[in-house]
Amino acid sequence: MKDLHINPAIFDSESGEYERALAFVLANGIESEDRTNIGTISQFGLRMSFDLAKAFPLVTTKKLHLKSIIHELIWMLNGYTNVGYLQANDVTIWDEWASESGELGPVYGKQWRRWAGKPEIHAHEDEARENSKLFTVEASPIDQIANVIKEIREFPNSRRLVVSAWNPADIPAMALAPCHVMFQFYVRNGELSCQLYQRSGDMFLGIPFNIASYALLTHIIAFITGLKVGKFIHIIGDAHIYSNHIEQVKEQLTRAPKAYPQLSINRITRDVVTDPAQMRFEDFKFEGYDPHPAIKGEVAV
Ligand SMILES: Nc1nc(=O)c2c([nH]1)NC[C@@H]1CN(c3ccc(C(=O)N[C@@H](CCC(=O)O)C(=O)O)cc3)CN21
Ligand SMILES: O=c1ccn([C@H]2C[C@H](O)[C@@H](COP(=O)(O)O)O2)c(=O)[nH]1
């Protein structure tokens, strides 16, 4: 691309990991048709790594709407799948996919907190004969978030600290198949790291949100389990830039990354919060976020 001017500071900036990935897709992306009919340029198999112990990876080359990111995460952690909570907090990022009643189907919140368990058949011998019902089928839901917290506490070296949103039986009922599909925690030296597998990533709009969201999730789980934060590693399958975001991306890449902000979680005592759903918007304090101005882009539906 002849007209490509990438700010050289991007290549050696500690806070330029996202911008390097963005520049890579811009320079090497393969033109592709896609489900939305917008068209993309795409690369497969991207990896970014962020050192959460140093700073909070909130992209600085355009201003991000932090409020949407924090509320979306609280919404998922509460197991919600209806945009009602988001709309009540002026967050509109899921509106395009919601039904008239605001439903999205069994998306992240449901899979994280209430994955449908394996049905168990119970025979009720005496009672059942009386009301002519011989069996009942019960499926207790699986709370993957509570389970992973318990596992981190009891077996921090476990290699099974995994949460999955990819539930093939439920995908047909979801408004959108999960994009951030599976994450795994890793504990060493009192530090909690997280690695995410994202099957599909909208590099301009979605990915800056996803990075911040998982960095925040790692902070929350570390806070609750009494650990420090380590790294966030982000793996993306189909990493794409939509054709109607190319100009915005070029503009963004002329900018020099600035230092990332710091996050502190304000709670008098950690013991108050035992479930991440109890975290409130006001608990998070970001200091030193001084981004370049926002850049608008249309979301592909
Ligand atoms: N094409 C596409 N890209 C996505 O990133 C995406 C989807 N679809 N569908 C589901 C969710 C919704 N997400 C979204 C949707 C919109 C914005 C967005 O418009 N962001 C603007 C404004 C943010 C705001 O109003 O809070 C931005 O400038 O970042 C971001 C993420 C992420 N996901
Ligand atoms: O958290 C999210 C959610 C969605 N996206 C993007 C990735 C794609 O551009 C679309 C989803 O379309 P599919 O055809 O289902 O892949 O949404 C994201 O980047 N982050």
Side-chain angles (χ1 to χ4, degrees), residues 59-140:
V59 164
T60 60
T61 46
K62 72 173 186 187
K63 185 176 183 188
L64 289 183
H65 195 217
L66 243 179
K67 203 180 151 191
S68 297
I69 296 167
I70 298 172
H71 277 303
E72 189 204 28
L73 180 62
I74 293 176
W75 173 72
M76 294 188 285
L77 286 170
N78 274 276
Y80 300 149
T81 60
N82 188 291
V83 294
Y85 168 89
L86 297 175
Q87 287 177 348
N89 290 289
D90 302 319
V91 176
T92 58
I93 58 171
W94 277 101
D95 286 3
E96 282 90 343
W97 292 271
S99 72
E100 260 180 41
S101 60
E103 255 312 310
L104 292 166
V107 291
Y108 305 101
K110 156 92 173 145
Q111 305 304 339
W112 286 9
R113 312 256 24 192
R114 286 176 281 107
W115 179 297
K118 191 169 167 234
E120 282 180 35
I121 298 170
H122 301 273
H124 297 278
E125 287 166 12
D126 298 339
E127 276 172 59
R129 262 184 223 107
E130 274 166 36
N131 48 36
S132 71
K133 217 169 143 202
L134 288 174
F135 302 103
T136 53
V137 178
E138 276 173 32
S140 34

Coordinates of all heavy atoms in Angstrom, one line a residue, residues 59-140:
V59 N -6.6 0.9 24.8 CA -6.1 1.5 23.6 C -6.1 3.1 23.7 O -7.1 3.7 24.1 CB -6.9 1.0 22.4 CG1 -6.6 1.8 21.1 CG2 -6.5 -0.5 22.1
T60 N -5.0 3.7 23.3 CA -4.9 5.2 23.4 C -4.9 5.9 22.1 O -5.0 7.1 22.1 CB -3.6 5.6 24.1 OG1 -2.5 5.1 23.3 CG2 -3.5 5.0 25.6
T61 N -4.8 5.1 21.0 CA -4.7 5.8 19.7 C -6.1 6.2 19.2 O -6.2 6.9 18.1 CB -4.0 4.9 18.6 OG1 -4.6 3.6 18.7 CG2 -2.5 4.9 18.9
K62 N -7.2 5.9 19.9 CA -8.5 6.5 19.8 C -9.2 6.4 21.1 O -8.8 5.5 21.9 CB -9.3 5.8 18.7 CG -9.8 4.5 19.0 CD -10.8 3.9 18.0 CE -11.3 2.6 18.5 NZ -12.1 1.8 17.5
K63 N -10.1 7.3 21.4 CA -10.8 7.3 22.7 C -11.8 6.2 22.8 O -12.7 6.0 21.9 CB -11.4 8.6 22.9 CG -12.0 8.7 24.3 CD -12.6 10.0 24.6 CE -13.1 10.0 26.1 NZ -13.8 11.2 26.4
L64 N -11.7 5.3 23.8 CA -12.7 4.2 24.0 C -13.7 4.6 25.0 O -13.4 5.3 26.0 CB -11.9 3.0 24.4 CG -11.0 2.2 23.4 CD1 -10.5 1.0 24.1 CD2 -11.8 1.9 22.2
H65 N -14.9 4.1 24.7 CA -16.0 4.4 25.7 C -16.0 3.3 26.8 O -16.6 2.3 26.7 CB -17.3 4.3 24.9 CG -18.5 4.9 25.6 ND1 -19.8 4.3 25.6 CD2 -18.6 6.0 26.4 CE1 -20.6 5.1 26.3 NE2 -19.9 6.0 26.8
L66 N -15.2 3.7 27.8 CA -15.0 2.8 28.9 C -16.2 2.3 29.6 O -16.4 1.2 30.0 CB -14.2 3.5 30.0 CG -12.8 3.0 30.4 CD1 -12.2 4.0 31.4 CD2 -12.8 1.6 30.8
K67 N -17.2 3.2 29.7 CA -18.5 2.9 30.3 C -19.1 1.7 29.7 O -19.6 0.8 30.4 CB -19.4 4.1 30.2 CG -20.4 4.2 31.3 CD -21.3 5.4 31.1 CE -22.7 5.0 31.7 NZ -23.7 6.0 31.4
S68 N -19.1 1.6 28.4 CA -19.7 0.5 27.7 C -19.0 -0.8 28.0 O -19.6 -1.9 28.2 CB -19.6 0.7 26.1 OG -20.4 1.8 25.8
I69 N -17.6 -0.7 28.1 CA -16.8 -1.9 28.3 C -17.1 -2.5 29.7 O -17.3 -3.7 29.9 CB -15.3 -1.6 28.1 CG1 -15.0 -1.2 26.7 CG2 -14.4 -2.7 28.6 CD1 -13.7 -0.5 26.4
I70 N -17.1 -1.6 30.7 CA -17.3 -2.0 32.1 C -18.7 -2.6 32.3 O -18.9 -3.7 32.8 CB -17.1 -0.9 33.1 CG1 -15.6 -0.4 33.0 CG2 -17.4 -1.3 34.5 CD1 -15.3 0.9 33.8
H71 N -19.7 -1.9 31.8 CA -21.1 -2.4 32.0 C -21.3 -3.7 31.2 O -22.0 -4.6 31.7 CB -22.1 -1.3 31.5 CG -22.4 -0.3 32.6 ND1 -22.8 -0.7 33.9 CD2 -22.3 1.0 32.6 CE1 -23.0 0.4 34.6 NE2 -22.6 1.4 33.9
E72 N -20.7 -3.8 30.0 CA -20.9 -5.1 29.3 C -20.3 -6.3 30.1 O -20.9 -7.3 30.1 CB -20.2 -5.0 27.9 CG -20.6 -6.2 27.0 CD -19.6 -6.5 25.9 OE1 -18.4 -6.2 26.1 OE2 -20.0 -7.1 24.9
L73 N -19.2 -6.1 30.7 CA -18.6 -7.2 31.5 C -19.4 -7.5 32.7 O -19.7 -8.7 33.0 CB -17.1 -6.8 31.9 CG -16.4 -7.9 32.7 CD1 -16.3 -9.2 31.9 CD2 -15.0 -7.5 33.1
I74 N -19.9 -6.5 33.4 CA -20.7 -6.7 34.6 C -22.0 -7.5 34.2 O -22.5 -8.4 34.8 CB -21.1 -5.4 35.3 CG1 -19.8 -4.7 35.9 CG2 -22.2 -5.6 36.3 CD1 -20.1 -3.4 36.5
W75 N -22.5 -7.0 33.0 CA -23.7 -7.7 32.4 C -23.5 -9.2 32.2 O -24.3 -10.0 32.6 CB -24.0 -6.9 31.1 CG -25.1 -7.4 30.2 CD1 -26.4 -7.4 30.4 CD2 -24.9 -8.0 28.9 NE1 -27.1 -7.9 29.4 CE2 -26.2 -8.3 28.4 CE3 -23.8 -8.3 28.1 CZ2 -26.4 -8.9 27.2 CZ3 -24.0 -8.9 26.9 CH2 -25.2 -9.2 26.4
M76 N -22.4 -9.5 31.6 CA -22.1 -10.9 31.3 C -21.8 -11.7 32.6 O -22.3 -12.8 32.8 CB -20.8 -11.1 30.4 CG -21.1 -10.5 29.0 SD -19.7 -10.9 27.9 CE -18.4 -9.7 28.4
L77 N -21.1 -11.1 33.6 CA -20.8 -11.7 34.8 C -22.1 -12.0 35.7 O -22.1 -12.9 36.5 CB -19.8 -10.9 35.6 CG -18.4 -11.0 35.1 CD1 -17.5 -9.9 35.8 CD2 -17.8 -12.4 35.3
N78 N -23.1 -11.2 35.4 CA -24.4 -11.4 36.1 C -25.3 -12.5 35.4 O -26.4 -12.8 35.9 CB -25.2 -10.1 36.2 CG -24.7 -9.3 37.4 OD1 -25.2 -9.6 38.6 ND2 -23.8 -8.4 37.3
G79 N -24.8 -13.0 34.3 CA -25.5 -14.0 33.6 C -26.7 -13.5 32.8 O -27.5 -14.2 32.3
Y80 N -26.7 -12.1 32.6 CA -27.8 -11.5 31.8 C -27.6 -11.8 30.3 O -26.5 -11.9 29.8 CB -27.8 -10.0 32.0 CG -28.0 -9.5 33.4 CD1 -27.5 -8.3 33.8 CD2 -28.8 -10.3 34.3 CE1 -27.6 -7.9 35.1 CE2 -29.0 -9.8 35.6 CZ -28.4 -8.6 36.0 OH -28.6 -8.1 37.2
T81 N -28.7 -12.0 29.6 CA -28.7 -12.2 28.1 C -29.7 -11.2 27.5 O -30.0 -11.3 26.3 CB -29.1 -13.6 27.8 OG1 -30.4 -13.9 28.2 CG2 -28.1 -14.6 28.4
N82 N -30.2 -10.3 28.2 CA -31.2 -9.3 27.7 C -30.5 -8.0 27.8 O -29.9 -7.6 28.8 CB -32.5 -9.4 28.6 CG -33.6 -8.5 28.0 OD1 -33.5 -7.3 27.9 ND2 -34.6 -9.2 27.5
V83 N -30.7 -7.1 26.7 CA -30.0 -5.8 26.7 C -30.6 -4.8 27.7 O -30.1 -3.7 27.8 CB -30.0 -5.2 25.3 CG1 -29.1 -6.1 24.4 CG2 -31.4 -5.0 24.7
G84 N -31.7 -5.2 28.4 CA -32.3 -4.3 29.4 C -31.3 -3.6 30.3 O -31.3 -2.4 30.5
Y85 N -30.4 -4.4 30.9 CA -29.4 -3.9 31.9 C -28.5 -2.9 31.1 O -28.2 -1.8 31.6 CB -28.6 -5.0 32.5 CG -27.3 -4.5 33.2 CD1 -27.4 -4.1 34.5 CD2 -26.1 -4.3 32.5 CE1 -26.3 -3.6 35.2 CE2 -25.0 -3.8 33.2 CZ -25.1 -3.4 34.5 OH -24.0 -2.9 35.1
L86 N -28.1 -3.2 29.9 CA -27.2 -2.4 29.2 C -27.9 -1.0 28.8 O -27.3 0.0 29.0 CB -26.7 -3.1 27.9 CG -25.9 -4.3 28.0 CD1 -25.6 -5.0 26.7 CD2 -24.6 -4.0 28.8
Q87 N -29.1 -1.2 28.3 CA -29.9 0.1 27.9 C -30.1 1.0 29.1 O -30.0 2.2 29.0 CB -31.2 -0.3 27.3 CG -30.9 -0.9 25.9 CD -32.2 -1.3 25.1 OE1 -33.2 -1.4 25.8 NE2 -32.1 -1.6 23.9
A88 N -30.4 0.3 30.3 CA -30.6 1.1 31.5 C -29.4 1.9 31.9 O -29.4 2.9 32.6 CB -31.0 0.2 32.7
N89 N -28.2 1.5 31.4 CA -26.9 2.2 31.7 C -26.4 2.9 30.4 O -25.2 3.1 30.3 CB -25.9 1.2 32.2 CG -26.3 0.7 33.6 OD1 -26.2 1.5 34.6 ND2 -26.8 -0.5 33.7
D90 N -27.3 3.1 29.5 CA -26.9 3.9 28.2 C -25.9 3.2 27.4 O -25.1 3.8 26.7 CB -26.4 5.3 28.5 CG -27.4 6.1 29.3 OD1 -28.6 6.0 29.0 OD2 -27.0 6.8 30.2
V91 N -25.9 1.9 27.4 CA -24.9 1.1 26.6 C -25.7 0.5 25.4 O -26.7 -0.3 25.7 CB -24.2 0.0 27.4 CG1 -23.3 -0.8 26.5 CG2 -23.4 0.7 28.5
T92 N -25.3 0.8 24.2 CA -26.1 0.5 23.1 C -25.5 -0.6 22.1 O -26.0 -0.9 21.1 CB -26.4 1.7 22.2 OG1 -25.2 2.3 21.8 CG2 -27.2 2.8 23.0
I93 N -24.3 -1.1 22.5 CA -23.5 -1.8 21.6 C -24.1 -3.2 21.2 O -23.7 -3.7 20.2 CB -22.0 -2.1 22.1 CG1 -22.1 -2.8 23.5 CG2 -21.3 -0.8 22.3 CD1 -20.7 -3.3 23.9
W94 N -25.1 -3.7 21.9 CA -25.7 -4.9 21.5 C -27.1 -4.7 20.9 O -27.8 -5.7 20.6 CB -25.8 -5.9 22.7 CG -24.5 -6.6 23.0 CD1 -23.6 -6.4 23.9 CD2 -24.0 -7.8 22.2 NE1 -22.5 -7.3 23.8 CE2 -22.8 -8.1 22.8 CE3 -24.6 -8.5 21.1 CZ2 -22.0 -9.2 22.3 CZ3 -23.8 -9.6 20.6 CH2 -22.6 -9.9 21.2
D95 N -27.6 -3.5 20.8 CA -28.9 -3.2 20.4 C -29.3 -3.8 19.0 O -30.4 -4.4 18.8 CB -29.2 -1.7 20.3 CG -29.3 -1.1 21.7 OD1 -29.2 -1.9 22.7 OD2 -29.6 0.1 21.8
E96 N -28.3 -3.8 18.1 CA -28.6 -4.2 16.7 C -29.0 -5.7 16.6 O -29.6 -6.1 15.7 CB -27.4 -4.0 15.8 CG -27.2 -2.6 15.3 CD -26.4 -1.7 16.2 OE1 -26.2 -2.2 17.4 OE2 -25.9 -0.7 15.8
W97 N -28.6 -6.5 17.6 CA -28.8 -7.9 17.6 C -30.0 -8.4 18.4 O -30.3 -9.6 18.4 CB -27.5 -8.7 18.0 CG -26.4 -8.4 17.0 CD1 -26.2 -9.2 15.8 CD2 -25.5 -7.4 16.9 NE1 -25.1 -8.7 15.1 CE2 -24.7 -7.5 15.8 CE3 -25.2 -6.3 17.7 CZ2 -23.6 -6.7 15.4 CZ3 -24.2 -5.4 17.4 CH2 -23.4 -5.6 16.2
A98 N -30.5 -7.5 19.2 CA -31.5 -7.9 20.2 C -32.9 -8.0 19.5 O -33.2 -7.3 18.6 CB -31.6 -6.9 21.3
S99 N -33.7 -8.9 20.1 CA -35.1 -9.0 19.6 C -35.9 -7.9 20.2 O -35.4 -7.0 20.9 CB -35.7 -10.3 20.2 OG -36.0 -10.2 21.5
E100 N -37.2 -7.8 19.8 CA -38.0 -6.7 20.3 C -38.1 -6.6 21.8 O -38.1 -5.5 22.4 CB -39.4 -6.8 19.7 CG -39.6 -5.9 18.5 CD -41.0 -6.0 18.0 OE1 -42.0 -6.1 18.7 OE2 -41.1 -6.0 16.7
S101 N -38.0 -7.8 22.5 CA -38.1 -7.8 23.9 C -36.7 -7.6 24.5 O -36.5 -7.8 25.7 CB -38.7 -9.1 24.4 OG -38.0 -10.2 24.0
G102 N -35.7 -7.4 23.7 CA -34.3 -7.2 24.2 C -33.5 -8.5 24.3 O -32.4 -8.4 24.8
E103 N -34.0 -9.6 23.9 CA -33.3 -10.9 24.1 C -32.3 -11.1 23.1 O -32.4 -10.8 21.9 CB -34.3 -12.0 24.1 CG -34.7 -12.6 25.5 CD -33.5 -12.9 26.3 OE1 -32.5 -13.6 25.9 OE2 -33.4 -12.5 27.5
L104 N -31.2 -11.8 23.5 CA -30.1 -12.2 22.6 C -30.0 -13.7 22.5 O -29.2 -14.2 21.8 CB -28.8 -11.6 23.0 CG -28.7 -10.1 22.9 CD1 -27.5 -9.6 23.7 CD2 -28.5 -9.6 21.5
G105 N -30.8 -14.4 23.3 CA -30.7 -15.9 23.3 C -29.6 -16.3 24.3 O -29.1 -15.4 25.1
P106 N -29.2 -17.5 24.3 CA -28.3 -18.0 25.3 C -26.8 -17.6 25.1 O -26.0 -18.5 24.9 CB -28.5 -19.6 25.3 CG -28.9 -19.8 23.9 CD -29.7 -18.6 23.4
V107 N -26.6 -16.3 25.1 CA -25.2 -15.8 24.8 C -24.3 -15.9 26.1 O -24.7 -16.6 27.0 CB -25.3 -14.4 24.2 CG1 -25.9 -14.5 22.8 CG2 -26.1 -13.5 25.1
Y108 N -23.2 -15.2 26.0 CA -22.2 -15.3 27.1 C -22.6 -15.5 28.5 O -22.2 -16.4 29.2 CB -21.2 -14.1 27.0 CG -20.6 -13.9 25.7 CD1 -21.1 -12.9 24.9 CD2 -19.5 -14.7 25.2 CE1 -20.5 -12.7 23.6 CE2 -19.0 -14.5 24.0 CZ -19.5 -13.5 23.2 OH -18.9 -13.3 21.9
G109 N -23.5 -14.6 29.0 CA -23.9 -14.7 30.4 C -24.5 -16.0 30.7 O -24.2 -16.6 31.8
K110 N -25.4 -16.5 29.9 CA -26.0 -17.9 30.1 C -24.9 -19.0 30.2 O -24.9 -19.8 31.1 CB -27.0 -18.1 29.0 CG -27.4 -19.5 28.7 CD -28.5 -20.0 29.6 CE -28.9 -21.4 29.1 NZ -29.4 -22.2 30.1
Q111 N -24.0 -19.0 29.2 CA -23.0 -20.0 29.1 C -22.0 -19.9 30.3 O -21.6 -21.0 30.8 CB -22.3 -20.0 27.8 CG -23.2 -20.1 26.6 CD -24.2 -21.3 26.6 OE1 -23.9 -22.3 27.3 NE2 -25.3 -21.2 25.8
W112 N -21.6 -18.7 30.7 CA -20.7 -18.6 31.8 C -21.3 -19.0 33.1 O -20.6 -19.6 33.9 CB -20.2 -17.1 31.9 CG -19.3 -16.6 30.8 CD1 -18.9 -17.2 29.7 CD2 -18.6 -15.3 30.9 NE1 -18.0 -16.4 29.0 CE2 -17.9 -15.2 29.7 CE3 -18.6 -14.2 31.7 CZ2 -17.1 -14.1 29.4 CZ3 -17.9 -13.1 31.4 CH2 -17.1 -13.1 30.3
R113 N -22.5 -18.7 33.3 CA -23.1 -18.9 34.7 C -24.2 -19.9 34.8 O -24.4 -20.4 35.9 CB -23.7 -17.5 35.2 CG -22.7 -16.4 35.0 CD -22.0 -15.8 36.1 NE -21.7 -16.6 37.3 CZ -21.2 -16.1 38.4 NH1 -21.0 -14.8 38.5 NH2 -21.0 -16.8 39.5
R114 N -24.8 -20.3 33.6 CA -25.8 -21.3 33.7 C -25.8 -22.3 32.5 O -26.9 -22.5 31.9 CB -27.2 -20.6 33.8 CG -27.5 -19.9 35.1 CD -28.8 -19.1 35.1 NE -28.6 -17.8 34.4 CZ -29.1 -17.5 33.2 NH1 -29.8 -18.3 32.5 NH2 -28.8 -16.3 32.7
W115 N -24.7 -22.8 32.2 CA -24.6 -23.8 31.1 C -25.5 -24.9 31.5 O -25.4 -25.4 32.6 CB -23.1 -24.2 31.0 CG -22.8 -25.2 29.9 CD1 -23.3 -26.5 29.9 CD2 -22.0 -25.1 28.8 NE1 -22.8 -27.2 28.8 CE2 -22.0 -26.3 28.1 CE3 -21.2 -24.0 28.3 CZ2 -21.2 -26.5 26.9 CZ3 -20.4 -24.3 27.2 CH2 -20.5 -25.5 26.5
A116 N -26.3 -25.4 30.5 CA -27.3 -26.4 30.9 C -26.5 -27.7 31.2 O -25.8 -28.2 30.3 CB -28.2 -26.6 29.7
G117 N -26.7 -28.2 32.4 CA -26.1 -29.4 32.8 C -26.6 -30.7 32.1 O -27.6 -30.6 31.4
K118 N -26.0 -31.8 32.3 CA -26.4 -33.0 31.7 C -27.7 -33.4 32.4 O -27.7 -33.5 33.7 CB -25.3 -34.1 32.0 CG -25.5 -35.3 31.2 CD -24.2 -36.2 31.4 CE -24.5 -37.6 30.9 NZ -24.1 -38.6 31.9
P119 N -28.7 -33.7 31.7 CA -30.0 -34.1 32.3 C -29.8 -35.4 33.1 O -29.2 -36.3 32.6 CB -31.0 -34.3 31.2 CG -30.3 -33.7 30.0 CD -28.9 -33.7 30.2
E120 N -30.4 -35.4 34.3 CA -30.3 -36.6 35.1 C -31.7 -37.2 35.3 O -32.6 -36.4 35.6 CB -29.7 -36.4 36.5 CG -28.2 -36.3 36.4 CD -27.6 -36.0 37.8 OE1 -28.1 -36.5 38.8 OE2 -26.6 -35.2 37.8
I121 N -31.9 -38.4 35.1 CA -33.2 -39.0 35.2 C -33.4 -39.6 36.6 O -32.6 -40.3 37.1 CB -33.4 -40.1 34.2 CG1 -33.3 -39.4 32.8 CG2 -34.8 -40.8 34.3 CD1 -33.2 -40.4 31.6
H122 N -34.4 -39.1 37.3 CA -34.7 -39.6 38.6 C -36.0 -40.4 38.6 O -37.0 -39.9 38.1 CB -34.9 -38.4 39.6 CG -33.7 -37.5 39.7 ND1 -32.7 -37.8 40.6 CD2 -33.4 -36.4 39.0 CE1 -31.8 -36.8 40.4 NE2 -32.2 -36.0 39.5
A123 N -35.9 -41.6 39.1 CA -37.1 -42.4 39.2 C -37.8 -42.2 40.6 O -37.1 -42.1 41.6 CB -36.7 -43.9 39.1
H124 N -39.0 -41.9 40.6 CA -39.8 -41.7 41.8 C -40.7 -42.9 42.0 O -41.8 -42.8 41.5 CB -40.6 -40.4 41.8 CG -39.7 -39.2 41.6 ND1 -39.1 -38.6 42.7 CD2 -39.3 -38.5 40.5 CE1 -38.4 -37.6 42.2 NE2 -38.5 -37.5 40.9
E125 N -40.3 -43.8 42.7 CA -41.1 -45.0 42.7 C -42.5 -44.9 43.3 O -43.5 -45.0 42.7 CB -40.3 -46.2 43.4 CG -39.2 -46.6 42.4 CD -38.2 -47.5 43.0 OE1 -38.4 -47.9 44.2 OE2 -37.1 -47.7 42.4
D126 N -42.5 -44.6 44.7 CA -43.8 -44.6 45.3 C -44.7 -43.4 44.8 O -45.8 -43.6 44.3 CB -43.6 -44.5 46.8 CG -42.9 -45.7 47.3 OD1 -42.9 -46.7 46.6 OD2 -42.3 -45.6 48.4
E127 N -44.1 -42.2 45.0 CA -44.9 -41.0 44.6 C -45.3 -41.2 43.1 O -46.5 -40.9 42.8 CB -44.0 -39.8 44.6 CG -43.8 -39.1 45.9 CD -42.7 -38.1 45.7 OE1 -42.9 -37.2 44.8 OE2 -41.7 -38.2 46.4
A128 N -44.4 -41.6 42.3 CA -44.7 -41.5 40.8 C -45.8 -42.4 40.5 O -46.6 -42.1 39.6 CB -43.4 -42.0 40.1
R129 N -45.9 -43.5 41.2 CA -47.0 -44.4 40.8 C -48.4 -43.7 41.1 O -49.3 -43.8 40.4 CB -46.9 -45.7 41.6 CG -46.3 -46.8 40.8 CD -46.3 -48.1 41.5 NE -44.9 -48.7 41.2 CZ -44.0 -48.9 42.1 NH1 -44.2 -48.5 43.3 NH2 -42.9 -49.4 41.8
E130 N -48.3 -43.0 42.2 CA -49.6 -42.3 42.6 C -50.0 -41.3 41.6 O -51.2 -41.2 41.2 CB -49.4 -41.5 44.0 CG -49.6 -42.4 45.1 CD -49.1 -41.8 46.4 OE1 -49.2 -40.6 46.5 OE2 -48.6 -42.5 47.3
N131 N -49.1 -40.4 41.1 CA -49.5 -39.5 40.1 C -49.1 -39.9 38.7 O -49.0 -39.0 37.8 CB -49.1 -38.1 40.5 CG -47.6 -38.0 40.8 OD1 -46.8 -38.7 40.2 ND2 -47.3 -37.2 41.8
S132 N -48.9 -41.1 38.5 CA -48.6 -41.7 37.2 C -47.5 -41.1 36.5 O -47.4 -41.1 35.2 CB -49.9 -41.8 36.3 OG -50.2 -40.5 35.9
K133 N -46.5 -40.6 37.2 CA -45.3 -40.0 36.6 C -44.1 -40.8 37.1 O -43.8 -40.8 38.3 CB -45.2 -38.5 37.0 CG -44.7 -37.6 35.9 CD -44.8 -36.2 36.4 CE -43.7 -35.4 35.9 NZ -43.5 -34.2 36.7
L134 N -43.5 -41.5 36.2 CA -42.5 -42.5 36.7 C -41.1 -41.8 36.8 O -40.3 -42.2 37.6 CB -42.4 -43.7 35.8 CG -43.6 -44.6 35.9 CD1 -43.5 -45.7 34.9 CD2 -43.7 -45.2 37.3
F135 N -40.9 -40.8 36.0 CA -39.5 -40.2 36.0 C -39.6 -38.7 36.0 O -40.5 -38.2 35.4 CB -38.7 -40.7 34.8 CG -38.6 -42.2 34.7 CD1 -39.3 -42.9 33.8 CD2 -37.7 -42.8 35.5 CE1 -39.2 -44.3 33.7 CE2 -37.5 -44.2 35.5 CZ -38.3 -44.9 34.5
T136 N -38.6 -38.0 36.6 CA -38.5 -36.6 36.3 C -37.1 -36.4 35.8 O -36.1 -37.1 36.1 CB -38.7 -35.7 37.5 OG1 -37.8 -36.3 38.6 CG2 -40.1 -35.8 38.0
V137 N -36.9 -35.4 34.9 CA -35.6 -35.1 34.3 C -35.1 -33.8 34.9 O -35.8 -32.8 34.8 CB -35.7 -35.0 32.8 CG1 -34.3 -34.7 32.2 CG2 -36.1 -36.4 32.3
E138 N -33.9 -33.8 35.5 CA -33.4 -32.5 36.1 C -32.0 -32.3 35.5 O -31.2 -33.2 35.4 CB -33.3 -32.7 37.6 CG -34.6 -32.4 38.3 CD -34.5 -32.7 39.8 OE1 -33.4 -32.5 40.4 OE2 -35.5 -33.1 40.4
A139 N -31.8 -31.0 35.2 CA -30.5 -30.6 34.8 C -30.0 -29.4 35.6 O -30.5 -28.3 35.4 CB -30.5 -30.3 33.3
S140 N -29.1 -29.6 36.5 CA -28.7 -28.5 37.3 C -27.7 -27.7 36.5 O -26.7 -28.3 35.8 CB -28.1 -28.9 38.6 OG -27.4 -30.1 38.5

